[in-house]
Amino acid sequence: MSGGTKKNSHSQWSSRMGFMLAAAGSAVGLGNIWKFPYMAGQMGGSAFVLTYLICMFVIGLPILVAEWLIGRRGQKNPIHTMEDVAADEGQSKSWRWVGIIGVLGSFLILSFYSVIGGWAADYIFLAGTGTFKGLNGEGTGQVFQQFLGSVSHLLTWHTVFMFATALIVAMGVGAGLERSCKVMMPGLGLLLIGLVVYAAVVSGPSFGKAFAFLFTPNWSAITGKAVLAALGHAFFSLSLGMGIMMAYGSYLGKDVNLISTARTVVILDVIVAMLSGMAIFPLVFANGLQPGEGPGLIFVTLPIAFGNMAGGTIIGVVFFIFLTFAALTSSISLLEPTVELLEEKTHLGRKSATLVSSLFIWALGIACLLSFNEWQDIKIFGKNIFDSLDYLTSKLMLPLTGLGTIVFAGWMMNQERIRQELNLGTAVFACWKVLCRYVIPIAVIAILIYGFM
């Protein structure tokens, strides 16, 4: 390494299953459980779901494969992976900016993601202590607003969540990321299936109504806005454009089949999103609530159901444990690109790199949580700090990184070498090239334009 820095022995996943669960854990997060249900509720249910499914497999899967492919080729952090692979392909090292924007994006996202993770963790205790019993929408709304207004409360849970994230990442790729996901992902699956079964038993006819809402085609509800929203959410849901999957790919051996593994991860991600909808919407319909309540669906609308149904206290606790675990599997992946960069380019060891990264992210998270109370009058282009970071990353940085990645893979890399590495036949690879060179770039540019509308 130049500049007197050290080159660490690069870690490797111990097994394909461990890698797959870690990648699925990154993909399965608040986007599936919090964002997907309310977006489906706002945009016509099944119309949004069908569009989302197409976007996941046609757009999301190829970008996911491209990020893993480049990461495995480079075997370094995303910035230097892009730089080295570009040099190997005879391209400008300026392609490192794809890695820079990706790593910076994951850094910024985790600062406010940790705040939301703290909300989920706190709601475990609010549900468990019967806070929501007998409350209507106004009551649960007041609970949420009081929570947002308490700096000490938000800071405590932001700190707890960030500490848990750092603790796992500090243990390393195998003992930390991989082992935690091997425990949490099956746990998440069991909790979610249990919630769906419960919803089916207690909601009666509302379960069929929820199923029809999510899966009965309603083509008239598909609008340009719904298509672009589904495309953007597929991007966010799979953790694309954040440097995460490139970092995870750098720990991969050559024996892993990227296409089949990506297909499995996408399927798992979709299943979780669908099951989340089937756990949430029956309770929403059974209690006479509205499915299109927006971001407040999880923290304001659902607590009404938990507070007014039989066994609601226990179900509320289980649901928010599930939500917290899902947030945690994603947060550890968001921290990894920054830690990998510091570990490789400085004299810091794994634990020190994690500590330094976490402290800076935690500090920025304080600014995010203050935007709900003490700093709520501080605006950046009309948005508070929290919303500004969300807008900057999801609407600009993530699509830019994804666009750079797919253009680099489709136009700048040796295509025959990619075909051999992905083990694709001539006809299938021809489709791959059309997607990577034309379809996906146009779709991602559409996301970028939509973000400014």
Side-chain angles (χ1 to χ4, degrees):
M1 303 289 286
S2 61
T5 57
K6 64 184 175 64
K7 173 78 166 74
N8 292 301
S9 177
H10 209 69
S11 301
Q12 295 284 302
W13 302 105
S14 67
S15 65
R16 177 179 178 271
M17 179 59 70
F19 163 68
M20 191 168 63
L21 288 175
S26 175
V28 172
L30 294 175
N32 301 73
I33 303 157
W34 178 45
K35 200 171 182 180
F36 173 79
Y38 82 69
M39 290 182 75
Q42 288 179 326
M43 298 186 185
S46 60
F48 178 82
V49 171
L50 289 168
T51 309
Y52 167 75
L53 288 173
I54 294 170
C55 291
M56 286 286 281
F57 285 96
V58 176
I59 309 297
L61 191 148
I63 298 179
L64 179 61
V65 171
E67 291 200 15
W68 285 348
L69 176 74
I70 295 169
R72 183 167 69 177
R73 188 84 65 82
Q75 292 285 297
K76 292 180 182 176
N77 65 81
I79 297 173
H80 295 95
T81 277
M82 284 302 304
E83 187 176 85
D84 289 358
V85 174
D88 184 55
E89 295 285 352
Q91 306 297 332
S92 169
K93 289 188 177 182
S94 295
W95 282 99
R96 67 179 177 272
W97 279 98
V98 173
I100 291 172
I101 297 172
V103 173
L104 180 59
S106 63
F107 180 95
L108 295 176
I109 290 170
L110 184 52
S111 69
F112 62 83
Y113 196 93
S114 176
V115 174
I116 303 173
W119 298 353
D122 179 69
Y123 264 57
I124 297 172
F125 295 92
L126 290 178
T129 54
T131 302
F132 307 127
K133 280 189 176 295
L135 294 183
N136 56 17
E138 183 180 354
T140 58
Q142 287 177 352
V143 169
F144 188 53
Q145 289 305 316
Q146 288 172 0
F147 174 61
L148 292 183
S150 173
V151 175
S152 60
H153 223 62
L154 290 176
L155 179 59
T156 297
W157 288 105
H158 166 53
T159 303
V160 168
F161 188 84
M162 198 65 222
F163 176 79
T165 300
L167 188 64
I168 294 172
V169 174
M171 290 189 288
V173 174
L177 300 175
E178 189 171 346
R179 184 177 297 172
S180 64
C181 287
K182 282 182 176 179
V183 173
M184 286 192 286
M185 287 305 294
L188 282 172
L190 291 174
L191 286 174
L192 184 53
I193 291 170
L195 287 169
V196 172
V197 170
Y198 177 84
V201 171
V202 304
S203 64
S206 294
F207 190 81
K209 185 178 180 181
F211 188 90
F213 177 74
L214 284 172
F215 301 114
T216 300
N218 179 17
W219 301 109
S220 64
I222 296 181
T223 63
K225 180 180 178 180
V227 171
L228 289 171
L231 188 56
H233 184 63
F235 216 87
F236 184 84
S237 178
L238 285 173
S239 300
L240 302 176
M242 307 179 198
I244 293 170
M245 293 307 178
M246 208 175 288
Y248 275 20
S250 73
Y251 303 129
L252 268 179
K254 298 294 183 183
D255 58 324
V256 175
N257 185 302
L258 298 183
I259 297 287
S260 64
T261 304
R263 184 171 59 241
T264 303
V265 168
V266 171
I267 290 171
L268 286 173
D269 191 57
V270 167
I271 288 173
V272 170
M274 299 303 151
L275 288 178
S276 295
M278 290 308 301
I280 291 170
F281 286 125
L283 302 181
V284 169
F285 290 135
N287 287 273
L289 305 173
Q290 295 301 314
E293 287 297 314
L297 180 65
I298 298 299
F299 296 104
V300 177
T301 305
L302 272 183
I304 302 172
F306 295 146
N308 291 279
M309 66 188 191
T313 297
I314 295 174
I315 296 303
V317 169
V318 171
F319 177 81
F320 286 112
I321 288 175
F322 168 62
L323 188 64
T324 303
F325 276 12
L328 194 57
T329 60
S330 293
S331 68
I332 58 178
S333 69
L334 284 164
L335 182 55
E336 181 60 28
T338 305
V339 171
E340 184 184 30
L341 174 64
L342 289 182
E343 191 181 10
E344 291 181 359
K345 293 300 292 181
T346 71
H347 291 287
L348 296 175
R350 180 78 180 187
K351 292 181 174 60
S352 298
T354 303
L355 176 62
V356 171
S357 303
S358 300
L359 284 175
F360 277 99
I361 293 170
W362 172 80
L364 183 56
I366 293 175
C368 293
L369 66 87
L370 287 174
S371 68
F372 293 107
N373 37 72
E374 300 296 332
W375 291 1
Q376 61 183 326
D377 294 328
I378 298 177
K379 304 292 183 181
I380 304 172
F381 297 110
K383 301 179 183 293
N384 64 25
I385 296 171
F386 184 101
D387 291 336
S388 295
L389 287 176
D390 182 23
Y391 185 89
L392 173 66
T393 53
S394 63
K395 304 296 186 184
L396 182 61
M397 298 179 73
L398 268 60
L400 273 178
T401 306
L403 179 61
T405 300
I406 205 66
V407 168
F408 182 77
W411 291 96
M412 303 299 156
M413 297 177 70
N414 182 291
Q415 296 301 293
E416 178 57 26
R417 187 177 174 188
I418 290 178
R419 188 191 69 79
Q420 292 176 3
E421 194 166 342
L422 297 181
N423 194 27
L424 296 176
T426 304
V428 176
F429 188 67
C431 294
W432 164 272
K433 285 173 65 176
V434 170
L435 284 173
C436 292
R437 289 188 168 186
Y438 305 105
V439 177
I440 298 175
I442 291 172
V444 177
I445 289 171
I447 296 176
L448 277 165
I449 295 172
Y450 174 67
F452 289 101
M453 294 174 62

